[in-house]
Coordinates of all heavy atoms in Angstrom, one line a residue:
W1 N 131.9 305.0 21.3 CA 131.8 304.2 20.1 C 131.2 304.9 19.1 O 130.1 305.6 19.2 CB 131.0 302.8 20.4 CG 131.7 302.0 21.2 CD1 131.6 301.9 22.6 CD2 132.6 300.9 20.9 NE1 132.4 300.8 23.1 CE2 133.1 300.2 22.0 CE3 133.1 300.5 19.6 CZ2 133.9 299.2 22.0 CZ3 133.9 299.4 19.6 CH2 134.5 298.8 20.7
H2 N 131.7 304.9 17.8 CA 131.2 305.4 16.6 C 130.9 304.3 15.6 O 131.5 303.2 15.7 CB 132.0 306.5 16.1 CG 132.0 307.8 16.8 ND1 132.8 307.8 18.2 CD2 131.6 309.0 16.7 CE1 132.7 309.1 18.6 NE2 132.1 309.8 17.8
R3 N 130.2 304.6 14.5 CA 130.2 303.8 13.5 C 130.1 304.5 12.1 O 129.7 305.6 12.1 CB 128.9 302.8 13.5 CG 127.5 303.5 13.4 CD 126.4 302.5 13.8 NE 125.1 303.1 13.8 CZ 124.1 302.4 14.1 NH1 124.1 301.2 14.6 NH2 122.9 303.0 14.1
Q4 N 130.5 303.7 11.1 CA 130.6 304.4 9.8 C 129.9 303.5 8.7 O 130.3 302.3 8.5 CB 132.0 304.7 9.4 CG 132.1 305.5 8.1 CD 133.6 306.0 8.0 OE1 134.5 305.6 8.7 NE2 133.8 307.1 7.1
F5 N 129.0 304.0 8.1 CA 128.3 303.3 7.0 C 129.0 303.6 5.6 O 129.6 304.7 5.6 CB 126.8 303.7 6.8 CG 126.0 303.6 8.0 CD1 125.6 304.6 8.8 CD2 125.7 302.3 8.5 CE1 125.0 304.5 10.0 CE2 124.9 302.1 9.7 CZ 124.5 303.2 10.4
P6 N 129.0 302.8 4.6 CA 129.7 303.1 3.4 C 129.4 304.3 2.8 O 128.1 304.6 2.6 CB 129.3 301.8 2.6 CG 128.9 300.8 3.5 CD 128.3 301.5 4.6
G7 N 130.3 305.2 2.5 CA 130.0 306.5 1.9 C 129.6 307.6 2.8 O 129.4 308.7 2.3
N8 N 129.6 307.2 4.1 CA 129.0 308.2 5.1 C 130.1 308.6 6.1 O 131.2 307.9 6.3 CB 127.8 307.8 5.8 CG 126.6 307.6 4.9 OD1 126.5 308.2 3.8 ND2 125.7 306.9 5.3
Q9 N 129.8 309.8 6.8 CA 130.7 310.1 7.9 C 130.5 309.2 9.1 O 129.4 308.5 9.3 CB 130.6 311.5 8.2 CG 130.9 312.4 7.2 CD 130.9 313.9 7.7 OE1 129.9 314.3 8.6 NE2 131.6 314.7 7.0
R10 N 131.3 309.2 10.0 CA 131.2 308.4 11.3 C 130.1 309.1 12.1 O 130.0 310.4 12.1 CB 132.5 308.4 12.1 CG 133.5 307.6 11.6 CD 134.8 307.4 12.3 NE 135.8 306.7 11.5 CZ 137.1 306.6 11.9 NH1 137.4 307.1 13.1 NH2 138.0 306.2 11.1
E11 N 129.3 308.3 12.8 CA 128.4 308.8 13.7 C 128.5 308.2 15.1 O 128.9 307.1 15.2 CB 126.9 308.6 13.2 CG 126.4 307.1 13.1 CD 125.1 306.9 12.7 OE1 124.5 307.6 11.9 OE2 124.5 305.9 13.3
L12 N 128.0 309.1 16.0 CA 128.2 308.6 17.4 C 127.2 307.6 17.7 O 126.0 307.8 17.4 CB 128.1 309.9 18.4 CG 128.0 309.6 19.8 CD1 129.5 309.1 20.3 CD2 127.6 310.7 20.7
V13 N 127.6 306.5 18.3 CA 126.6 305.5 18.7 C 126.4 305.7 20.2 O 125.1 305.6 20.6 CB 127.2 304.1 18.5 CG1 126.3 302.9 18.9 CG2 127.4 303.9 16.9
A14 N 127.5 305.6 20.9 CA 127.2 305.7 22.5 C 128.5 306.4 23.1 O 129.5 306.3 22.5 CB 127.0 304.4 23.0
G15 N 128.4 307.0 24.2 CA 129.5 307.6 24.8 C 129.3 307.7 26.3 O 128.3 307.6 26.8
I16 N 130.5 307.8 27.0 CA 130.6 308.1 28.3 C 131.3 309.3 28.6 O 132.6 309.4 28.3 CB 131.0 307.0 29.3 CG1 130.3 305.6 29.0 CG2 131.1 307.3 30.7 CD1 130.8 304.5 29.8
S17 N 130.8 310.4 29.2 CA 131.5 311.7 29.3 C 132.5 311.6 30.4 O 132.5 310.7 31.2 CB 130.4 312.8 29.5 OG 129.9 312.8 30.9
T18 N 133.2 312.7 30.7 CA 134.2 312.8 31.7 C 133.6 312.8 33.1 O 134.2 312.4 34.0 CB 135.0 314.2 31.6 OG1 134.0 315.3 31.6 CG2 135.7 314.2 30.2
I19 N 132.3 313.0 33.1 CA 131.6 313.0 34.5 C 130.8 311.7 34.6 O 130.0 311.5 35.5 CB 130.7 314.2 34.7 CG1 129.7 314.4 33.6 CG2 131.6 315.4 35.0 CD1 128.7 315.5 33.9
G20 N 131.0 310.8 33.6 CA 130.3 309.5 33.8 C 129.0 309.5 33.2 O 128.2 308.5 33.4
R21 N 128.5 310.5 32.5 CA 127.2 310.5 31.9 C 127.3 309.7 30.6 O 128.0 309.9 29.6 CB 126.7 311.8 31.8 CG 125.3 312.0 31.2 CD 124.7 313.5 31.3 NE 124.8 313.9 32.7 CZ 124.6 315.2 33.1 NH1 124.3 316.2 32.1 NH2 124.7 315.6 34.3
T22 N 126.2 308.8 30.4 CA 126.1 308.1 29.2 C 125.2 308.8 28.3 O 124.2 309.4 28.6 CB 125.7 306.6 29.4 OG1 124.5 306.6 30.1 CG2 126.6 305.9 30.3
N23 N 125.4 308.6 26.9 CA 124.4 309.0 26.0 C 124.4 308.1 24.7 O 125.5 307.4 24.5 CB 124.7 310.5 25.5 CG 126.0 310.6 24.8 OD1 127.0 310.5 25.4 ND2 126.0 310.9 23.4
Y24 N 123.3 308.0 24.2 CA 123.1 307.1 23.0 C 122.5 307.7 21.8 O 121.6 308.7 21.9 CB 122.3 305.9 23.5 CG 122.9 305.1 24.6 CD1 122.7 305.3 25.9 CD2 123.7 303.9 24.3 CE1 123.2 304.6 26.9 CE2 124.3 303.2 25.1 CZ 124.0 303.4 26.5 OH 124.7 302.7 27.6
A25 N 122.7 307.2 20.6 CA 122.1 307.6 19.4 C 120.6 307.1 19.6 O 120.4 306.1 20.1 CB 122.6 307.0 18.2
D26 N 119.6 307.8 19.1 CA 118.3 307.5 19.2 C 118.0 306.1 18.6 O 117.2 305.3 19.1 CB 117.3 308.5 18.6 CG 117.3 309.8 19.3 OD1 117.5 309.8 20.5 OD2 116.8 310.7 18.8

């Protein structure tokens, strides 16, 4: 999942990798 604020680029919010590892924005 990504999100985009007005006037900004998309940023990563959270992801699940090909090996099932999750990561989150701080």
Side-chain angles (χ1 to χ4, degrees):
W1 287 92
H2 291 70
R3 64 186 178 186
Q4 187 168 15
F5 305 108
N8 293 339
Q9 292 183 333
R10 292 180 191 178
E11 64 175 31
L12 177 68
V13 176
I16 301 179
S17 72
T18 56
I19 59 172
R21 183 170 297 172
T22 58
N23 64 293
Y24 295 91
D26 288 342

